[in-house]
């Protein structure tokens, strides 16, 4: 049975990484897709764990060879999802989550129309700024650029199936867990999971 694909998108600082980490701890059946990026690693980030960190020439070579399912320039760096790896995982029945921006989400939706889209919103733009500053990982310049972009990114919220406002962290995590659970209960995966039951219903 094919796995379910989850696409989680948010403006930088809304809490996407924190929520996804919480989900992965709660639900061992969901795995994360590790993207390629030309961005430099942040303190504590490891090559192959948070991202595959590559230089621009390598990124372009991989892209031109058709290795990416989607790619986008976000805040001055390039990001991409591996095509072969993802197709293998979904075909092998593994539920896989992509943490990508709205441009990538649009491309994934075309290739996987059944993908479940989740948009995470901050409670306000003021709170978003506080979180970006509190995270202490980016320079003032980078933070200003990300804040300027946030409103434009948030306008794409209507393209997603589910919207989670990350105000209180535990509540937002429960929401994300609930979305994953609900997605597994959709007709198509249930039909595949319980073939005898559905065969019985279809008999005269
Ligand atoms: P993103 O991955 O969307 O860029 P992060 O998960 O890195 O965002 O979160 C940005 C900052 O906000 C981090 O310092 C994180 O600990 C904090 N944060 C996340 N969710 C909440 C929340 N619900 N309330 C307060 N702070 C939060
Ligand atoms: P960060 O540099 O903070 O890790 O991520 C910046 C932005 O790039 C986030 O909006 C994140 O979702 C997006 N991003 C990360 N990986 C990918 C990817 O593989 N494809 C696309 N399109 N965006 C990505």
């Amino acid at each position: 049975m094919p796995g379910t694909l989850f696409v989680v998108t948010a403006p930088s600082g809304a809490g996407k990484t924190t929520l996804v980490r919480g989900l992965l701890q709660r639900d061992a059946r969901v795995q994360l897709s590790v993207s390629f990026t030309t961005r430099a690693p942040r303190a504590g980030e490891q090559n192959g764990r948070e991202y595959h960190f590559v230089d621009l020439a390598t990124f372009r070579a991989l892209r031109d060879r058709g290795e990416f399912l989607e790619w986008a320039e976000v805040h001055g760096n390039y990001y991409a999802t591996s095509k072969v790896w993802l197709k293998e995982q979904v075909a092998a029945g593994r539920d896989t989550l992509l943490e990508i921006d709205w441009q990538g989400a649009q491309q994934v939706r075309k290739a996987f129309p059944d993908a479940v889209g989740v948009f995470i919103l901050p409670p306000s733009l003021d709170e978003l700024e506080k979180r970006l500053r509190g995270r202490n990982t980016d320079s003032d310049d980078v933070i200003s650029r990300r804040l300027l972009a946030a409103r434009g990114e948030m306008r794409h919220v209507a393209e997603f199936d589910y919207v989670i406002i990350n105000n209180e962290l535990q509540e937002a995590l429960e929401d994300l867990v609930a979305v994953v659970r609900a997605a597994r209960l959709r007709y198509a995966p249930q039909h595949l999971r319980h073939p005898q039951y559905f065969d019985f219903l279809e008999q005269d």
Side-chain angles (χ1 to χ4, degrees):
M1 177 172 88
T4 301
L5 198 57
F6 296 94
V7 178
V8 178
T9 300
S12 182
K16 170 168 48 73
T17 310
T18 308
L19 285 169
V20 168
R21 204 174 291 148
L23 171 71
L24 297 181
Q25 279 168 6
R26 287 269 297 264
D27 190 334
R29 282 186 292 160
V30 180
Q31 65 168 349
L32 196 57
S33 162
V34 179
S35 297
F36 287 82
T37 185
T38 59
R39 162 167 87 59
R42 294 185 184 129
E45 286 184 335
Q46 261 177 38
N47 191 28
R49 190 179 65 186
E50 281 79 13
Y51 285 103
H52 301 292
F53 294 99
V54 293
D55 60 24
L56 190 54
T58 308
F59 188 96
R60 286 197 174 127
L62 290 167
R63 182 192 61 190
D64 296 346
R65 262 197 280 150
E67 299 274 338
F68 297 150
L69 175 71
E70 61 78 28
W71 67 273
E73 186 181 350
V74 190
H75 312 306
N77 294 299
Y78 289 92
Y79 296 85
T81 304
S82 164
K83 189 193 302 187
V84 172
W85 182 85
L86 188 65
K87 289 198 164 162
E88 276 171 10
Q89 297 303 308
V90 172
R94 303 205 180 93
D95 291 349
T96 305
L97 188 148
L98 310 184
E99 267 188 63
I100 60 176
D101 87 316
W102 64 269
Q103 305 170 83
Q106 285 185 344
Q107 298 170 60
V108 170
R109 224 171 274 129
K110 281 190 196 136
F112 293 91
D114 289 340
V116 179
V118 184
F119 201 96
I120 295 169
L121 288 171
S124 66
L125 287 176
D126 281 351
E127 177 63 20
L128 185 68
E129 179 166 3
K130 277 191 203 137
R131 289 184 189 173
L132 279 171
R133 295 199 186 287
R135 188 166 68 182
N136 254 329
T137 52
D138 301 292
S139 64
D140 279 355
D141 183 42
V142 167
I143 290 177
S144 308
R145 228 181 312 149
R146 292 187 172 207
L147 278 171
L148 267 177
R151 191 190 290 264
E153 291 166 8
M154 285 156 65
R155 290 213 174 96
H156 290 273
V157 61
E159 295 160 19
F160 290 74
D161 302 300
Y162 295 96
V163 181
I164 295 176
I165 299 177
N166 179 20
N167 186 16
E168 207 282 301
L169 185 61
Q170 276 315 311
E171 204 177 316
L173 178 57
E174 291 304 328
D175 289 343
L176 186 57
V177 168
V179 165
V180 170
R181 188 164 176 179
R184 290 194 180 118
L185 299 176
R186 289 187 302 179
Y187 172 76
Q190 284 289 62
H191 194 174
L192 288 165
R193 210 174 279 129
H194 304 286
Q196 305 88 334
Y197 199 107
F198 287 83
D199 285 351
F200 151 78
L201 286 179
E202 282 153 18
Q203 280 163 17
D204 291 332

